[in-house]
């Protein structure tokens, strides 16, 4: 029997990058996965890949910041599979500027994605998880559930990222609080903070040319100058940037039974202590 067989996992931002790898790895361990992305095509591609490998998955397309998203996401899991066992709050992006040039729109867009959306998803899931936990307790069974929130080394502060750093710091407070509130419900709540991982948001720029991604109608600049990437890589003890599948492995580790007595913890997945990238 696979270690997560019969479990139902919800993963935000899982159509691309690290989230995609998390969804695929959870499915490989036997979990049924609710895949989310802003766009339908990448979400459906991941669903198709999981099904082709013999797993089960459904898509819940849309922005995690939409007021109705949390309830829709949670209900997709319940209506499709009848349970919620694992929640991964992974969706995110950066929209950088120094504070004197940062608009309210930039601030709230990033805070809402990285902090408000996870709060809403966990709030929407609580009544369902609580009801299941009470039923299991009455039957004399202990069933451990898992929440993994995604933070960053940037939670320690990064120039030009007052919005992102604040969101990634705030999610740590939410993680530790819920580890105390939800312990009685037999839920492990942990966080993984990433260092520099090779994704579309951290691609090397060609010269001064900037790249953009469309986030809810906004063209957001992404990519990093090669010189900066080289400088950050030089501070990483392992001597290189991380791969999406390696970042996903740190997340999945907190979802396995081996982590059943770990809660309220944060691990840094960045190749060793170094940059706050």
């Amino acid at each position: 029997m696979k270690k997560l067989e019969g479990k139902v996992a919800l993963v935000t931002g899982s159509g691309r990058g690290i989230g995609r790898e998390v969804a695929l790895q959870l499915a490989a361990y036997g979990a049924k996965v609710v895949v989310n992305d802003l766009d339908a095509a990448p979400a459906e591609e991941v669903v198709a890949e999981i099904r082709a490998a013999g797993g089960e998955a459904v898509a819940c397309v849309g922005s995690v910041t939409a007021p109705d998203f949390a309830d829709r996401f949670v209900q997709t899991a319940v209506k499709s599979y009848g349970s919620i066992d694992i929640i991964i709050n992974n969706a995110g992006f950066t929209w950088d500027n120094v504070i004197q040039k940062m608009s309210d729109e930039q601030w709230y867009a990033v805070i809402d994605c990285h902090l408000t959306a996870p709060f809403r998803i966990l709030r929407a899931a609580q009544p369902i998880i609580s009801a299941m936990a009470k039923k299991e307790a009455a039957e004399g069974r202990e069933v451990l559930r898992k929440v993994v929130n995604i933070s960053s080394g940037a939670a320690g502060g990064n120039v030009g990222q007052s919005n992102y750093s604040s969101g990634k710091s705030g999610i740590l407070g939410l993680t530790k609080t819920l580890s105390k509130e939800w312990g009685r419900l037999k839920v492990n709540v942990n966080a993984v903070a990433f260092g520099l991982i090779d994704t579309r948001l951290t691609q090397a720029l060609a010269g001064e040319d900037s790249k953009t991604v469309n986030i809810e109608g906004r063209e957001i600049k992404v990519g990093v100058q090669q010189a900066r990437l080289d400088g950050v890589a030089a501070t990483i003890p392992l001597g290189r940037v991380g791969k999406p599948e390696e970042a996903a492995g740190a997340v999945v580790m907190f979802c396995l039974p081996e982590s059943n007595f770990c809660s309220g913890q944060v691990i840094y997945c960045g190749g060793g202590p170094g940059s706050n990238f």
Side-chain angles (χ1 to χ4, degrees), residues 165-237:
S165 294
S166 296
K168 289 306 190 185
S169 177
I171 198 70
L172 297 180
L174 182 62
T175 297
K176 291 180 181 295
T177 297
L178 284 196
S179 72
K180 295 178 179 180
E181 289 188 9
W182 284 14
R184 64 186 179 82
L185 302 179
K186 307 301 181 183
V187 182
N188 304 132
V189 187
N190 294 294
V192 176
F194 295 138
L196 179 55
I197 308 296
D198 184 17
T199 70
R200 65 179 182 145
L201 301 182
T202 60
Q203 300 170 66
L205 297 175
E208 296 297 320
D209 295 335
S210 63
K211 302 174 184 178
T212 63
V213 295
N214 188 283
I215 307 289
E216 298 185 78
R218 308 179 183 100
E219 289 297 324
I220 308 294
K221 291 182 179 181
V222 298
V224 183
Q225 293 295 336
Q226 186 65 58
R228 187 182 176 205
L229 287 175
D230 292 342
V232 172
T235 71
I236 298 172

Side-chain angles (χ1 to χ4, degrees), residues 195-196 230-242 268-276:
L196 179 55
D230 292 342
V232 172
T235 71
I236 298 172
L238 288 182
R240 62 173 176 83
V241 301
Y268 178 65
C269 179
S275 164
N276 334 337

